[in-house]
Every structure is written in structure tokens, then in C-alpha cells.
Amino acid sequence: MSVAGELLLSGRELLQKWGRFTLFTARLLAVSPRALGRFRLVVAQVYNAGALSLVIIMLSGLFVGMVLGLQGYDLLRRFGSTEALGTAAALGLLRELGPVVTALLFAGRAGTALASEIGLMSATDQLSAMEMMAVDPVRRVCAPRFIGGVIAMPLLAAIFSTIGIFGAQLVGVTLMGVDSGQFWSQMRGSVELADVVEGIIKSIAFGFACSAIAVYEGYHAVPTAEGVGRATTRTVVTSSVAVLALDYTLTAMLL
Amino acid sequence: MTSVTHPVARAGTGPLAHLVDVAYAVGGRPVFDGLNISIARGSVTAIMGPSGTGKTTLLRLITGQIRPGRGRVEVAGEDLAALDTDGLYRLRRRMGMLFQNGALLTDLDVYENVAFPLREHTQLPECLIARTVLMKLQAVGLRGAARLMPAELSGGMSRRVALARAIVMDPEILIYDEPFAGLDPIALGVVLRLIRETNDALGLTSIVVSHDVHVIGQLADHTYLLSSGKVVAEGSPAELERDPAPVVHQFMAGEADGPVPFHYPAPDYAAQLLGAEVPA
């Protein structure tokens, strides 16, 4: 087959997959209100996707904040405006790094757990058993996990950004000697509600994308050990690309 | 073992499941072509056949998980082709299915697994759910294992829990996919007794897919033997034993070679060895 032919074929496959994903997401959204009625299931998934990701999110937030503090201090020192470090760190974390890095970590930790769990349920006939008990697995298994992810992501991003700001303060103020009052007052003066809202909008969008991709890949995994492994890998790769592409799109729309 | 037909089973007339001239293909390869099967109410009907003849596919057709390319599948008076998803789910509430590995939900304990259909489909108070679950677990001899997790159960216990879960909604039809595979003789005897007793005591209609000739001989009222996408023999297990057709004889006697060949189709053996060809 010629290169053009192969490109055409993979383009068609990509379109088909996108179509299947869109239909699946529409089905997820359609059954989500009923799944919300079983709030206990959603709470359990917020715990699985959110609370169990806390350690990695907090540690990463601290280190990202510390690096931001160090790099920011070095850069601002050249312009003699190290007092703006608080503003730079807060804006960077709230608008970009908080939502994006949290989403990438979420895809790696919670997304893979979701995809492999649902894939294994399929491989061990648990989803078929539900269908035979007249229980829709998309409503009972996928929707609570999807909603749990969408709720957990903004909370995790908020925690990431908060810890990150303290990390930047730790390096900037405690180690590099930036004035504490200036660090916090400049931040309070410059960071607006719109900046926080931008971060929240982004993290909800990333939570939606990462959770939908993880649930889709798990539900459609080939029911073998290799199939579940491939689905888990695809979850991380697709989610990461989706987060970065969505980030650019949303930034362009919100600026 | 005495077979007693339950009054409920006697109430209906005609077959409970009926497949007429069914054809089904996977990727262009025909699995069934002109399949006709009738499952009598109140009976234990066995579906047997060599591996790869589509026994599990047949169960998926009866449960509406897949649709035939041609022909009609009727279950409990409903034409499956005419049912939408809601209709199919309504019909499935009247069915129970036991998967080969039990298919228990691994994040729930035994009690919650059995209670699962009740919680999903009814608004029963907790005390009634508890009583129903304990009664079903008592029936399969596992009331004492109520708080064990599926990972702590043996293969035989998993299947007994799955049976308790399958009957918790008091279905009309129970479908078993290879219920005896991999069981030790004691567990096999227990599952065998439970299938028969459950069928007779609750007035169910049972469909059992298996290739264990000896066990089916003790259990089934009627047996269908499938081969090459068709029914090649039917009758009581004793009648099948006496059937002179070569394919039936090979299966019932467990002979390695015959109409169902030992060798998968391959190029000439000597030519391949001499040419030292690597199979493409």
C-alpha cells in the first residue's frame, strides 16, 4: 500500500475511534444524572481518584513550587524585581502548572487505575454478568468513576497550586531572602478572581477529558492481559496529549 | 435423583426458548447455519459439542447479547429481534446466568454479591434483603461465608455464590456456561446436585452448556449435540449414547480422531518437513 493509502487508512481509523469515543461520552453523560442519584458510589470514586492521589499531588506540587521559586527568583533578580516572585509563582501555578501538571499526574495515577480496573472487570466477565442481571455497566461502573474523576480533578489542582505557592515561598522567602510581606502582598494585589476561575475551568475540562478517556479505554479493552495492558498505556498517552492540546485551546479562549 | 416438576413450570405451555433457522457468522466465518433448538419448560436441557462449535455463542444468542444474521430467537414468548435495550433488560430480569468462572464482582463480598441484583432492581428494606440473601446462601450451603471476599473462595464456592446470585431474583430461566469446568469431584457433585434441585424446587427451566458427557448423563432431561454449526443429534443422554452417527459416537466415546479431526487443517506434513518451511 502506498504512503498516501496508509495515511488515508489511519486517518479513517482515527475518525472512527473519535466517533466511537464521542458516542460513548454522550452515553456516559446521558446516564450520569441517574448515577448521581447513587451518590455513595460517586463518593467512593472521588476517594479512589482523589484521596488516593493526594500524596503524589502534594509532593509534586511542593517540588514544582520550589523549582518555580528558584527559577523565578533567578529571572526576576536580573530585572531587579524579586518582590514580584509571589505574583509570578501564583499566576503560573493557578493558571497553568497547577491544572496541567495535576492532570498529567492524574492520568498517570488515577487514569491508569480506572482503565485497568474496568478492563479487568471486562476480562473476568463481571461486566457481562451485570448485563445479564439487567444492570447497565456504563451506568453502574463507568459513570460513577467518570463523575468521581471530574469532581476530584479541580480539588486536586487546588491542593497542588496551594502547596506549590508554599513551595515557592519556602525557596523565595526562606532560602533566597525575598521579603515575606512583599511576596504575599504583591500576590494578593495582582492575582484576580479571573485567574483562579481560569484554573478551575481548565481543571474541570482536564478532569472530564482524562476520566472519559480512561473509562472509554478500560470499557473497550480487549479482554486479555495484553489487551488491558495496552488500554492502560493508551490511557496515559491519549490523556496527556489531550490535556496539552486542551490547555492551548482553553488558554487561547480565556486570555 | 428424583425429578419433580414445579407447578409454576407446568403452568406455561410450549417451549420456553425457541431458535428457528438461526444463522450467525463471525468475520465471515459461519458459526451456525440453520440451527433449530427448542427448550422445554421445567426441564434441564444440555447443549453439548466439541470445543469451538459455538456453545457459548448459542447462550449469547439466547440472552440477546448478540443477534443472529438470520432466523428467529424467542425466549419466554418474546421475539428478541423486536426488543429494544429496555425490553431486553426487562426480559433478562427473568433470567439468571452462571458464568464459567462465577464472574463475581471482586470489590464486593459474598453477601453483597448476592444482594447486588436486589439493590439494583428493588426498593426492599435492608431486613428483607438480608433475609433473602441468607436464604439463598443457605440453599447453596454458604451462609457461613457471607463476609468472605471472592478472592478467598475456591472455584466451586465461587460458582455456588454465583448460583445464589443468579436465583436471588427468582428467575424463570437459569443458564449455566460450563458449570463443571475445573472442579474437583466433591465440588462437581455439589454443583450438579444444586443445579438439579434448584431447577426442580423453583420450577425453573435450565440450560446447561457442557462437554462433560458423564455429568450431563446424570443431569439433563434433554440434550442437543452441536457440530459444524448444526444440531447433529438430540434426545435423552441415553439416546445419544446409542446414536450410531459417527460424529455423535466420537463425541460420546471421547475418541481423539474421527469426523472431528485431531489435526487442524495444515499443508502436507512430509512436504513441509522436507522443505523446512516456517508456517506462514
Side-chain angles (χ1 to χ4, degrees):
Chain A
M1 191 185 287
S2 66
V3 177
E6 279 184 23
L7 276 175
L8 203 68
L9 196 68
S10 30
R12 200 176 66 178
E13 278 172 9
L14 197 69
L15 265 179
Q16 282 174 341
K17 189 164 183 182
W18 175 249
R20 281 196 297 270
F21 174 73
T22 309
L23 287 175
F24 181 80
T25 308
R27 197 173 153 202
L28 260 183
L29 291 173
V31 298
S32 286
R34 280 188 69 195
L36 268 172
R38 306 275 299 272
F39 202 63
R40 192 177 50 84
L41 294 175
V42 176
V43 170
Q45 295 309 321
V46 173
Y47 175 80
N48 282 342
L52 296 181
S53 305
L54 264 180
V55 174
I56 187 174
I57 292 294
M58 290 168 75
L59 268 178
S60 307
L62 181 69
F63 286 118
V64 168
M66 286 167 71
V67 169
L68 204 60
L70 207 56
Q71 292 278 17
Y73 176 81
D74 184 58
L75 187 71
L76 291 170
R77 189 170 50 89
R78 297 179 197 181
F79 303 101
S81 51
T82 51
E83 67 280 2
L85 181 63
T87 306
L91 286 180
L93 281 162
L94 287 171
R95 286 164 55 161
E96 279 302 325
L97 288 171
V100 171
V101 179
T102 304
L104 295 176
L105 292 169
F106 182 89
R109 195 256 160 230
T112 51
L114 278 182
S116 56
E117 185 190 9
I118 297 174
L120 275 173
M121 288 179 82
S122 167
T124 51
D125 285 332
Q126 293 180 54
L127 300 184
S128 299
M130 278 191 193
E131 284 189 341
M132 278 311 303
M133 289 186 273
V135 175
D136 180 8
V138 174
R139 178 180 60 79
R140 179 60 175 71
V141 174
C142 299
R145 284 162 175 77
F146 166 71
I147 299 168
V150 176
I151 294 174
M153 180 75 88
L155 301 176
L156 290 173
I159 292 169
F160 183 99
S161 298
T162 308
I163 302 269
I165 289 170
F166 278 106
Q169 188 256 358
L170 184 74
V171 170
V173 175
T174 314
L175 295 182
M176 297 301 170
V178 175
D179 182 68
S180 176
Q182 282 187 334
F183 181 92
W184 292 110
S185 64
Q186 283 238 356
M187 189 192 301
R188 284 176 60 185
S190 309
V191 176
E192 295 170 3
L193 183 63
D195 301 314
V196 180
V197 170
E198 183 180 334
I200 293 172
I201 290 173
K202 280 184 176 178
S203 57
I204 291 174
F206 297 160
F208 185 100
C210 290
S211 306
I213 289 168
V215 165
Y216 171 84
E217 290 292 355
Y219 191 73
H220 291 90
V222 177
T224 60
E226 189 192 7
V228 175
R230 281 177 186 271
T232 310
T233 308
R234 275 200 306 271
T235 298
V236 180
V237 174
T238 316
S239 299
S240 305
V241 174
V243 164
L244 297 174
L246 261 177
D247 184 41
Y248 175 76
T249 313
L250 286 172
T251 305
M253 284 166 66
L254 294 169
L255 271 182
Chain B
M1 203 177 297
T2 335
S3 170
V4 182
T5 310
H6 192 273
V8 175
R10 272 193 244 119
T13 52
L16 192 64
H18 203 41
L19 285 84
V20 184
D21 191 29
V22 165
Y24 182 75
V26 177
R29 187 182 70 84
V31 180
F32 299 123
D33 190 12
L35 186 73
N36 291 291
I37 282 182
S38 199
I39 310 286
R41 281 175 197 271
S43 68
V44 175
T45 302
I47 310 288
M48 299 175 76
S51 298
T53 43
K55 300 187 291 295
T56 302
T57 307
L58 174 63
L59 293 189
R60 297 181 69 202
L61 281 167
I62 293 173
T63 54
Q65 288 171 288
I66 51 174
R67 307 220 169 198
R70 189 190 73 221
R72 200 171 74 249
V73 181
E74 276 181 25
V75 179
E78 305 259 21
D79 182 356
L80 296 195
L83 294 178
D84 58 6
T85 308
D86 288 341
L88 202 56
Y89 273 15
R90 268 196 303 277
L91 179 64
R92 284 186 188 159
R93 290 192 199 186
R94 297 158 65 187
M95 296 178 175
M97 182 159 176
L98 197 126
F99 286 80
Q100 192 172 342
N101 57 8
L104 298 178
L105 305 176
T106 44
D107 57 337
L108 303 179
D109 64 16
V110 165
Y111 178 94
E112 287 300 329
N113 260 288
V114 180
F116 183 82
L118 294 172
R119 293 198 196 286
E120 290 294 322
H121 295 306
T122 71
Q123 302 291 323
L124 290 175
E126 194 57 40
C127 61
L128 272 184
I129 290 180
R131 280 178 199 163
T132 312
V133 171
L134 290 175
M135 281 161 63
K136 301 300 179 188
L137 283 175
Q138 174 72 9
V140 298
L142 290 176
R143 188 167 43 85
R147 287 304 171 198
L148 293 183
M149 294 303 287
E152 298 173 277
L153 305 176
S154 68
M157 288 167 82
S158 292
R159 265 168 253 192
R160 284 153 69 186
V161 174
L163 179 58
R165 184 178 68 180
I167 59 174
V168 79
M169 294 288 286
D170 293 329
E172 290 171 49
I173 313 166
L174 255 184
I175 297 169
Y176 302 84
D177 188 7
E178 300 281 6
F180 312 113
L183 293 185
D184 66 67
I186 298 173
L188 191 147
V190 169
V191 172
L192 176 68
R193 185 174 61 83
L194 282 172
I195 293 176
R196 186 76 248 182
E197 285 181 356
T198 308
N199 188 79
D200 296 341
L202 301 179
L204 307 177
T205 301
S206 301
I207 304 170
V208 182
V209 157
S210 176
H211 41 225
D212 194 324
V213 175
H214 174 68
V215 176
I216 289 301
Q218 299 175 58
L219 175 69
D221 300 314
H222 195 79
T223 303
Y224 284 95
L225 184 62
L226 304 183
S227 185
S228 307
K230 282 190 167 62
V231 174
V232 289
E234 66 168 301
S236 69
E239 285 168 342
L240 259 61
E241 289 280 0
R242 293 193 296 273
D243 196 310
V247 67
V248 182
H249 176 75
Q250 184 194 0
F251 186 81
M252 298 305 281
E255 290 171 357
D257 213 349
V260 179
F262 171 70
H263 288 288
Y264 192 80
D268 182 69
Y269 184 40
Q272 197 169 19
L273 279 184
L274 290 171
E277 281 177 37
V278 177

